Amino acid sequence: MNKPMQYKSILTALLAVTAAFQFMNAAPRAFDFKDPKGVNNVQFKLDAPLESISGTGTGISGVVNFDPATPEKTSGKIELATESLTVGNPVMAEHLRGAHWLNVQEFPSIRFELDKLENIRSEKGQILGDAKGKLTIKDVTKEVKLPVRFTYLEGKLGDRLNDASIKGDLLVIRSQFSINRSDYNIQPGKNADKVAEEINLSLSIAGASLSQ
Amino acid sequence: MPLNRAHLLQLLGLFLLIATIGYWFAAGAHTGWSQTQVQVMQYDEITEIEYPVWIQQFVPGIELLSVGIFLSIILASLGFILSTQGRRADSEEPNHKHPPSR
């Protein structure tokens, strides 16, 4: 092999090693879930024998660090402003946010802090897993494991904001799970005929990350 | 004319009953409390997220249905009482209304 060919081979090998090293050390990117379009939402439904209550919460914020190549390194925190929770009946909404139920003055947010993403698998271009972390509602924090579905939308931020000059990616997180209200000190054992013990929750949120 | 007033009240009660139940059914037969806003789902094409939007719309609940039925029963009962009184008054004073013919 002549000398220029040798140099070329060495250079190619060095570049490959550098690229591999960078890939291995690539830090997950931060996705901001504060949504200017007001699309991010949590829906809740309670089915009691005498009454069915459904409502939504839209005051979502938080940051999730995610890399589609290394989803096991995912970390982050999502918060929901309790003031944003509402139902169709204004009196009921007032009660929901009042001191006896969610007490939004004293507890302004519901938080989920991700410790670890487990049971990771891929399905139809989406990443599925179980998000193990701490869920805090009112003054109670509990370890929970929530089924989550990540959809990584590369280069779609500009499309979403109707501005092609903005370069960045989107991360959509979906989850459906249920909790018991008495576990979180929400009027435990009271009004069970009208307000169900089990709260079914459905989360659909999108976060944005600008390209650097 | 107490008898006419009685019939009017009974008819009003019946009308209120039909109107209340009809309105409640037509508005979705909502079994919870009345609502002043309803949730309509919309779709974000980029993220494929379905998200709720609240619109101002009155949905009658079970309490409105109960009040309507209660009022219609009250009206019908008043009509029934008036018609009974009217009939009793007629039977107690036969000479004034139908003087004996000679």
Side-chain angles (χ1 to χ4, degrees):
Chain A
M1 197 186 288
N2 58 17
K3 274 212 166 158
M5 279 294 281
Q6 262 183 336
Y7 286 141
K8 203 175 171 184
S9 302
I10 291 166
L11 193 67
T12 310
L14 271 173
L15 279 171
V17 168
T18 310
F21 187 73
Q22 275 185 337
F23 177 77
M24 284 164 69
N25 286 290
R29 287 175 54 193
F31 287 83
D32 186 359
F33 281 80
K34 188 119 187 127
D35 178 22
K37 295 191 90 176
V39 167
N40 287 352
N41 70 88
V42 177
Q43 294 178 57
F44 59 90
K45 188 161 185 170
L46 297 89
D47 250 326
L50 291 183
E51 189 154 13
S52 175
I53 301 167
S54 60
T56 57
T58 50
I60 288 162
S61 62
V63 172
V64 171
N65 302 300
F66 176 82
D67 180 0
T70 54
E72 67 279 359
K73 287 184 181 172
T74 306
S75 65
K77 193 163 93 172
I78 295 292
E79 286 195 29
L80 169 71
T82 46
E83 187 67 47
S84 73
L85 289 165
T86 194
V87 291
N89 183 291
V91 177
M92 198 185 282
E94 226 171 85
H95 287 172
L96 169 76
R97 295 189 286 255
H100 293 300
W101 292 89
L102 286 175
N103 195 359
V104 302
Q105 296 293 326
E106 202 175 328
F107 307 107
S109 68
I110 291 171
R111 292 185 302 281
F112 176 72
E113 199 166 344
L114 177 67
D115 290 334
K116 199 181 176 190
L117 194 62
E118 295 179 338
N119 190 22
I120 299 164
R121 61 220 183 265
S122 172
E123 191 185 290
K124 293 175 190 167
Q126 296 179 321
I127 294 166
L128 282 71
D130 295 327
K132 195 177 167 193
K134 294 177 196 75
L135 179 65
T136 304
I137 302 175
K138 292 182 84 176
D139 52 349
V140 180
T141 300
K142 281 194 173 288
E143 285 276 351
V144 291
K145 202 188 265 190
L146 313 175
V148 285
R149 182 183 290 263
F150 292 89
T151 310
Y152 178 60
L153 302 169
E154 197 174 4
K156 290 282 185 184
L157 181 59
D159 291 347
R160 186 158 194 240
L161 300 175
N162 296 320
D163 187 348
S165 67
I166 299 172
K167 304 287 178 205
D169 307 331
L170 294 171
L171 177 67
V172 180
I173 304 176
R174 291 182 177 85
S175 181
Q176 285 187 332
F177 57 99
S178 62
I179 57 166
N180 287 331
R181 66 180 169 97
S182 45
D183 289 347
Y184 292 90
N185 198 21
I186 306 168
Q187 293 276 65
K190 288 187 183 168
N191 301 86
D193 52 341
K194 290 179 197 155
V195 184
E197 168 62 20
E198 189 182 41
I199 305 172
N200 295 300
L201 294 147
S202 175
L203 172 87
S204 302
I205 55 175
S209 175
L210 282 166
S211 294
Q212 283 145 12
Chain B
M1 294 276 285
L3 202 64
N4 283 347
R5 229 184 301 160
H7 276 137
L8 193 70
L9 281 173
Q10 283 170 338
L11 278 172
L12 215 63
L14 183 69
F15 174 76
L16 187 65
L17 184 74
I18 292 167
T20 306
I21 294 173
Y23 174 50
W24 182 73
F25 259 109
H30 180 58
T31 51
W33 297 106
S34 294
Q35 297 187 340
T36 54
Q37 53 178 4
V38 289
Q39 195 176 291
V40 177
M41 296 308 284
Q42 293 196 354
Y43 183 73
D44 183 68
E45 283 182 11
I46 305 292
T47 58
E48 296 182 341
I49 289 177
E50 260 199 292
Y51 62 100
V53 172
W54 290 94
I55 56 165
Q56 297 300 314
Q57 187 183 318
F58 183 73
V59 180
I62 203 86
E63 84 281 15
L64 198 96
L65 179 74
S66 310
V67 169
I69 292 172
F70 178 73
L71 282 177
S72 64
I73 291 170
I74 295 282
L75 287 173
S77 305
L78 276 174
F80 177 74
I81 291 165
L82 279 180
S83 80
T84 315
Q85 280 178 345
R87 254 180 273 145
R88 198 176 295 155
D90 279 353
S91 60
E92 278 173 3
E93 298 171 11
N95 294 338
H96 293 287
K97 285 191 175 175
H98 307 287
S101 54
R102 296 188 179 225

